[in-house]
Amino acid sequence: MGDASLFVIIVSAILVNNFVLSRFLGICPFLGVSKKVDTALGMGMAVTFVMTMAGIITYFVDVLILKPFDIEYMQTIAFILVIASLVQFVEIVLQKVSPALYQALGVFLPLITTNCAVLGLALLNIQFEFNLAQVVAHSVGAALGFTLAIVLFAGIREKLEISDIPEPFKGFPIALISASMMAMAFLGFSGLV
């Protein structure tokens, strides 16, 4: 995948290899913060910032520090430190700029640090041997794919709240069924790229 065009990388990350619905990474915030579209959009924007910046910074950490000093085995630890720092930055900014969104995201905001989608993105960028432009494209595409999935799912969950659903399926069971149907729908994009 090292020579793929930027457009193909972006479309693939958004639709075909969607981190939530195809790779099944980032399920915790996907299920936890998807009850309201506004909150889901806020989480999507926070994750977009963190994923994009984490992709870029971890690329430079790998190229400028880990590889030259032959300490690639430290990738996971180094990448988690980068991600944790970015999440702290986002948390501080949101607390100052949008206290309501900060409160709505609650415990899920600091959990971006342990969101496997962010770490998975950084590791996949290295595995695919992307150059910097491809890293940016993949990071933005993956983040937009995460945002698309969580906002669509939040919209579905809002509609389900006012729908007539049999008692055993109300709440989390119907949410899981809806999420699985979304994942199956996204499989239809696999023929695009």
Side-chain angles (χ1 to χ4, degrees):
M1 226 175 146
D3 58 347
S5 77
L6 299 180
F7 178 74
V8 169
I9 291 172
I10 291 172
V11 169
S12 175
I14 293 172
L15 299 174
V16 179
N17 295 310
N18 185 286
F19 271 62
V20 176
L21 300 172
S22 296
R23 294 188 188 272
F24 304 110
L25 297 171
I27 299 295
C28 179
F30 175 71
L31 293 173
V33 188
S34 60
K35 290 183 180 177
K36 301 282 181 212
V37 172
D38 295 343
T39 308
L41 189 58
M43 175 59 95
M45 290 187 300
V47 169
T48 298
F49 175 78
V50 171
M51 283 181 96
T52 303
M53 294 307 297
I56 294 167
I57 293 169
T58 56
Y59 171 81
F60 284 115
V61 166
D62 190 61
V63 170
L64 300 176
I65 298 170
L66 301 177
K67 285 183 180 171
F69 290 103
D70 198 29
I71 54 173
E72 288 102 340
Y73 60 88
M74 297 289 291
Q75 277 180 343
T76 305
I77 293 170
F79 293 176
I80 287 173
L81 288 173
V82 167
I83 294 164
S85 301
L86 287 168
V87 170
Q88 277 301 126
F89 175 75
V90 168
E91 201 170 352
I92 291 168
V93 169
L94 275 181
Q95 196 171 13
K96 296 288 182 194
V97 174
S98 180
L101 180 58
Y102 176 78
Q103 290 297 324
L105 293 176
V107 71
F108 292 99
L109 188 58
L111 284 178
I112 295 174
T113 302
T114 59
N115 185 342
C116 56
V118 183
L119 180 59
L121 169 78
L123 294 172
L124 283 173
N125 285 340
I126 303 304
Q127 179 184 347
F128 293 150
E129 298 179 355
F130 283 154
N131 60 37
L132 182 58
Q134 291 170 323
V135 164
V136 172
H138 188 237
S139 300
V140 169
L144 292 176
F146 178 89
T147 303
L148 174 68
I150 197 170
V151 169
L152 284 175
F153 190 52
I156 291 169
R157 287 182 80 176
E158 282 185 356
K159 297 290 185 202
L160 288 172
E161 285 295 317
I162 58 172
S163 298
D164 186 26
I165 298 169
E167 193 62 38
F169 293 107
K170 284 187 178 178
F172 204 63
I174 195 69
L176 290 177
I177 292 168
S178 301
S180 65
M181 291 172 59
M182 279 182 63
M184 288 190 313
F186 268 66
L187 284 176
F189 292 119
S190 62
L192 287 178
V193 183

